[in-house]
Amino acid sequence: MQTQEQEREALETAEAPAGKSHRVLWIVLALALVAGLVFVKMKYFPSPNADAKGGGKGGAGAGKGGPGGKGGGQRLPVQVYVVKPTNLSDEVAATGSVLADESVVIKSELSGKITSLNIREGQPVSKGQLLFSINADEAQAAIRKQQYNIQLFRDQERRQRTLLDKEYISAQEYEQANNQLQTAQADLKALQASLAKAYVRAPFSGVLGLTTATVGTYVSPGTEITTLSRVRPVKIDFAVPGRFAANVRVGDVVSITDEGTNKKYEAKVYAIDPQIDPVSRTQPVRARYANQNNELRPGAFVKVNLQLGESTDALQVPTESVIPEASGYSVYTVQKGKMVPKKVKIGIRSDKVIQITDGLAVGDSVIRTGILQVKPGDAVKAQPTSR
């Protein structure tokens, strides 16, 4: 019995070193796995602040406070445009409308049926040409009646004058007869003027519009019959921003582009409104174009470009660099490797560039890409580009 217990103790004593060696092996393997994971993480997935931590003590390219140094962080690459003087034509772009040189709606001034119609839709007419007439039988009868009355009053006035010369009647009696004659003649002129309204004529030479009237149509005063327009020449109405109002002159040539055909024409400014529109803060301007071949039609939409001069030292930046804000405009510049916003004032603009009238100087670097990713004070890596 004693012998068996001694053998068991000897066996346990022999197995103990083996169990300890297995545990040590597992620990070593676990540490090796963790070390491998840490190596992979540091090798292929470095921390964003690795450069900052590693650059504090003479790291590669890491001066104190510089990129990669203490607090340097990663620099965001951005494209910048270096501001320089450029040639700029002071051109104002606006939208305009084509108007007839003269235009009127032809209406009836009397009530009655149309007895004749001489309207050829879309065709030219001459000044004074009869367009339509309204039944005027009553007016003509009233005129004949008044003419008879005038003849009667004239005879009475002649007799009364003879009696007055012989002092058979007083001057007052003669004046009453003469007044009747004068009143009748005035009434006749009123009737003749009313009769003239029954015959509607073209007030000027032009082109007729469309109409729905026909012979026999009953019309009332104010009924629209057709339109008459003079389309040679035509007027171009447009407006320029108030800040350019002082630069616009009568006689300036403007370039007009028809929105429908993209054809360009040249018109000349002939009138400028003396007041700036208080709502839009724009200056109404009107130009005239000969329109000999009816190229432009009244009511058409056109683009207008007005040349105000040329500058050789204008500062312009790409359109995408200018940021509109509630209080105006700003741009992002690069100074000493960091982004610095600047307030600017703009001038003439196009689809590609915008003139900067205040806020920038020659040599400034203006950010044109990555604007949404940077904040004031961020470190950036500038890559100059041409416009």
Side-chain angles (χ1 to χ4, degrees), residues 88-117:
L88 174 65
S89 296
D90 290 342
E91 182 179 77
V92 177
T95 57
S97 299
V98 181
L99 304 177
D101 187 48
E102 291 187 7
S103 182
V104 66
V105 178
I106 304 298
K107 299 181 179 181
S108 171
E109 296 185 73
L110 301 176
S111 297
K113 291 183 180 180
I114 295 177
T115 55
S116 66
L117 190 65

Tab-separated table of all heavy atoms in Angstrom, residues 88-117:
chain	number	residue	atom	x	y	z
A	88	LEU	N	-9.247	92.920	-69.140
A	88	LEU	CA	-10.674	92.708	-68.930
A	88	LEU	C	-11.468	93.768	-69.667
A	88	LEU	O	-11.241	94.966	-69.491
A	88	LEU	CB	-11.010	92.759	-67.436
A	88	LEU	CG	-12.501	92.690	-67.089
A	88	LEU	CD1	-13.088	91.351	-67.502
A	88	LEU	CD2	-12.719	92.940	-65.610
A	89	SER	N	-12.369	93.291	-70.495
A	89	SER	CA	-13.303	94.203	-71.144
A	89	SER	C	-14.461	94.448	-70.191
A	89	SER	O	-15.101	93.505	-69.730
A	89	SER	CB	-13.821	93.593	-72.463
A	89	SER	OG	-12.777	93.428	-73.386
A	90	ASP	N	-14.675	95.732	-69.883
A	90	ASP	CA	-15.781	96.079	-68.993
A	90	ASP	C	-17.084	95.881	-69.749
A	90	ASP	O	-17.603	96.786	-70.414
A	90	ASP	CB	-15.655	97.531	-68.518
A	90	ASP	CG	-14.490	97.705	-67.574
A	90	ASP	OD1	-14.016	96.686	-67.043
A	90	ASP	OD2	-14.052	98.841	-67.379
A	91	GLU	N	-17.596	94.689	-69.651
A	91	GLU	CA	-18.794	94.306	-70.395
A	91	GLU	C	-19.908	93.970	-69.430
A	91	GLU	O	-19.729	93.205	-68.489
A	91	GLU	CB	-18.482	93.107	-71.294
A	91	GLU	CG	-19.654	92.650	-72.155
A	91	GLU	CD	-19.280	91.471	-73.034
A	91	GLU	OE1	-19.222	90.348	-72.505
A	91	GLU	OE2	-19.020	91.686	-74.221
A	92	VAL	N	-21.067	94.558	-69.657
A	92	VAL	CA	-22.232	94.299	-68.834
A	92	VAL	C	-23.167	93.379	-69.610
A	92	VAL	O	-23.559	93.683	-70.736
A	92	VAL	CB	-22.956	95.613	-68.468
A	92	VAL	CG1	-24.216	95.313	-67.677
A	92	VAL	CG2	-22.035	96.508	-67.670
A	93	ALA	N	-23.488	92.252	-69.021
A	93	ALA	CA	-24.415	91.305	-69.633
A	93	ALA	C	-25.788	91.464	-68.985
A	93	ALA	O	-25.899	91.566	-67.760
A	93	ALA	CB	-23.903	89.877	-69.474
A	94	ALA	N	-26.824	91.512	-69.810
A	94	ALA	CA	-28.181	91.680	-69.305
A	94	ALA	C	-29.146	90.948	-70.222
A	94	ALA	O	-28.771	90.464	-71.295
A	94	ALA	CB	-28.550	93.168	-69.215
A	95	THR	N	-30.362	90.856	-69.785
A	95	THR	CA	-31.419	90.280	-70.613
A	95	THR	C	-32.362	91.405	-71.031
A	95	THR	O	-32.555	92.369	-70.284
A	95	THR	CB	-32.204	89.204	-69.856
A	95	THR	OG1	-32.742	89.764	-68.649
A	95	THR	CG2	-31.300	88.041	-69.504
A	96	GLY	N	-32.915	91.269	-72.219
A	96	GLY	CA	-33.784	92.320	-72.729
A	96	GLY	C	-34.969	91.769	-73.494
A	96	GLY	O	-35.071	90.564	-73.741
A	97	SER	N	-35.859	92.667	-73.843
A	97	SER	CA	-37.053	92.311	-74.608
A	97	SER	C	-37.148	93.206	-75.839
A	97	SER	O	-36.752	94.380	-75.798
A	97	SER	CB	-38.314	92.479	-73.758
A	97	SER	OG	-38.284	91.635	-72.633
A	98	VAL	N	-37.666	92.632	-76.899
A	98	VAL	CA	-37.847	93.371	-78.147
A	98	VAL	C	-39.233	94.012	-78.139
A	98	VAL	O	-40.235	93.346	-77.843
A	98	VAL	CB	-37.690	92.450	-79.364
A	98	VAL	CG1	-37.865	93.243	-80.660
A	98	VAL	CG2	-36.332	91.762	-79.338
A	99	LEU	N	-39.281	95.300	-78.446
A	99	LEU	CA	-40.539	96.038	-78.513
A	99	LEU	C	-40.710	96.628	-79.904
A	99	LEU	O	-39.727	96.972	-80.567
A	99	LEU	CB	-40.582	97.169	-77.482
A	99	LEU	CG	-40.354	96.803	-76.020
A	99	LEU	CD1	-40.349	98.066	-75.178
A	99	LEU	CD2	-41.420	95.843	-75.533
A	100	ALA	N	-41.959	96.737	-80.329
A	100	ALA	CA	-42.233	97.416	-81.590
A	100	ALA	C	-41.929	98.899	-81.433
A	100	ALA	O	-42.073	99.472	-80.346
A	100	ALA	CB	-43.685	97.214	-81.997
A	101	ASP	N	-41.500	99.531	-82.521
A	101	ASP	CA	-41.216	100.961	-82.469
A	101	ASP	C	-42.474	101.734	-82.096
A	101	ASP	O	-42.421	102.679	-81.312
A	101	ASP	CB	-40.679	101.428	-83.820
A	101	ASP	CG	-40.212	102.868	-83.766
A	101	ASP	OD1	-39.470	103.223	-82.836
A	101	ASP	OD2	-40.590	103.641	-84.667
A	102	GLU	N	-43.600	101.325	-82.634
A	102	GLU	CA	-44.905	101.853	-82.245
A	102	GLU	C	-45.896	100.707	-82.288
A	102	GLU	O	-45.853	99.874	-83.198
A	102	GLU	CB	-45.366	102.986	-83.173
A	102	GLU	CG	-44.560	104.265	-83.051
A	102	GLU	CD	-45.154	105.391	-83.869
A	102	GLU	OE1	-46.255	105.208	-84.425
A	102	GLU	OE2	-44.517	106.449	-83.963
A	103	SER	N	-46.787	100.677	-81.335
A	103	SER	CA	-47.773	99.595	-81.281
A	103	SER	C	-49.051	100.122	-80.651
A	103	SER	O	-48.998	100.887	-79.676
A	103	SER	CB	-47.229	98.407	-80.480
A	103	SER	OG	-48.162	97.345	-80.460
A	104	VAL	N	-50.176	99.733	-81.218
A	104	VAL	CA	-51.462	100.203	-80.704
A	104	VAL	C	-52.515	99.112	-80.912
A	104	VAL	O	-52.432	98.320	-81.862
A	104	VAL	CB	-51.891	101.502	-81.428
A	104	VAL	CG1	-52.172	101.250	-82.899
A	104	VAL	CG2	-53.109	102.118	-80.756
A	105	VAL	N	-53.460	99.069	-79.987
A	105	VAL	CA	-54.609	98.173	-80.124
A	105	VAL	C	-55.735	98.957	-80.776
A	105	VAL	O	-56.154	100.008	-80.273
A	105	VAL	CB	-55.054	97.630	-78.748
A	105	VAL	CG1	-56.283	96.744	-78.906
A	105	VAL	CG2	-53.927	96.853	-78.096
A	106	ILE	N	-56.208	98.470	-81.899
A	106	ILE	CA	-57.292	99.138	-82.624
A	106	ILE	C	-58.625	98.756	-81.974
A	106	ILE	O	-58.974	97.574	-81.900
A	106	ILE	CB	-57.293	98.744	-84.107
A	106	ILE	CG1	-55.926	99.040	-84.744
A	106	ILE	CG2	-58.402	99.468	-84.847
A	106	ILE	CD1	-55.542	100.489	-84.724
A	107	LYS	N	-59.347	99.777	-81.481
A	107	LYS	CA	-60.632	99.553	-80.824
A	107	LYS	C	-61.720	100.410	-81.468
A	107	LYS	O	-61.432	101.398	-82.148
A	107	LYS	CB	-60.529	99.905	-79.332
A	107	LYS	CG	-59.515	99.084	-78.548
A	107	LYS	CD	-59.504	99.499	-77.090
A	107	LYS	CE	-58.515	98.680	-76.287
A	107	LYS	NZ	-58.501	99.060	-74.852
A	108	SER	N	-62.942	100.035	-81.189
A	108	SER	CA	-64.078	100.827	-81.658
A	108	SER	C	-64.410	101.891	-80.621
A	108	SER	O	-64.313	101.660	-79.413
A	108	SER	CB	-65.298	99.925	-81.873
A	108	SER	OG	-66.446	100.714	-82.135
A	109	GLU	N	-64.776	103.099	-81.090
A	109	GLU	CA	-65.191	104.162	-80.189
A	109	GLU	C	-66.704	104.342	-80.161
A	109	GLU	O	-67.221	105.112	-79.363
A	109	GLU	CB	-64.537	105.480	-80.599
A	109	GLU	CG	-63.027	105.477	-80.485
A	109	GLU	CD	-62.433	106.839	-80.785
A	109	GLU	OE1	-62.582	107.738	-79.940
A	109	GLU	OE2	-61.844	106.999	-81.870
A	110	LEU	N	-67.402	103.611	-81.052
A	110	LEU	CA	-68.850	103.720	-81.135
A	110	LEU	C	-69.499	102.355	-81.001
A	110	LEU	O	-68.840	101.316	-81.119
A	110	LEU	CB	-69.267	104.344	-82.477
A	110	LEU	CG	-68.731	105.742	-82.795
A	110	LEU	CD1	-69.178	106.136	-84.202
A	110	LEU	CD2	-69.216	106.746	-81.766
A	111	SER	N	-70.784	102.373	-80.768
A	111	SER	CA	-71.568	101.139	-80.761
A	111	SER	C	-72.238	100.977	-82.121
A	111	SER	O	-72.699	101.959	-82.716
A	111	SER	CB	-72.634	101.180	-79.661
A	111	SER	OG	-72.038	101.271	-78.389
A	112	GLY	N	-72.270	99.762	-82.603
A	112	GLY	CA	-72.918	99.503	-83.872
A	112	GLY	C	-72.345	98.274	-84.554
A	112	GLY	O	-71.425	97.630	-84.038
A	113	LYS	N	-72.912	97.959	-85.706
A	113	LYS	CA	-72.455	96.812	-86.482
A	113	LYS	C	-71.368	97.232	-87.465
A	113	LYS	O	-71.399	98.326	-88.019
A	113	LYS	CB	-73.620	96.197	-87.250
A	113	LYS	CG	-74.638	95.507	-86.369
A	113	LYS	CD	-75.735	94.858	-87.216
A	113	LYS	CE	-76.761	94.156	-86.330
A	113	LYS	NZ	-77.822	93.516	-87.138
A	114	ILE	N	-70.397	96.334	-87.646
A	114	ILE	CA	-69.340	96.574	-88.632
A	114	ILE	C	-69.947	96.397	-90.024
A	114	ILE	O	-70.503	95.344	-90.343
A	114	ILE	CB	-68.158	95.613	-88.424
A	114	ILE	CG1	-67.493	95.884	-87.075
A	114	ILE	CG2	-67.139	95.759	-89.547
A	114	ILE	CD1	-66.352	94.943	-86.751
A	115	THR	N	-69.832	97.441	-90.835
A	115	THR	CA	-70.408	97.384	-92.178
A	115	THR	C	-69.357	97.078	-93.244
A	115	THR	O	-69.704	96.602	-94.333
A	115	THR	CB	-71.098	98.715	-92.511
A	115	THR	OG1	-70.163	99.784	-92.341
A	115	THR	CG2	-72.289	98.948	-91.578
A	116	SER	N	-68.087	97.368	-92.949
A	116	SER	CA	-67.017	97.033	-93.885
A	116	SER	C	-65.765	96.698	-93.080
A	116	SER	O	-65.526	97.284	-92.027
A	116	SER	CB	-66.737	98.189	-94.855
A	116	SER	OG	-66.214	99.297	-94.155
A	117	LEU	N	-65.000	95.755	-93.610
A	117	LEU	CA	-63.794	95.305	-92.908
A	117	LEU	C	-62.666	95.186	-93.920
A	117	LEU	O	-62.744	94.418	-94.882
A	117	LEU	CB	-64.051	93.962	-92.222
A	117	LEU	CG	-62.975	93.476	-91.249
A	117	LEU	CD1	-62.878	94.395	-90.049
A	117	LEU	CD2	-63.299	92.058	-90.788
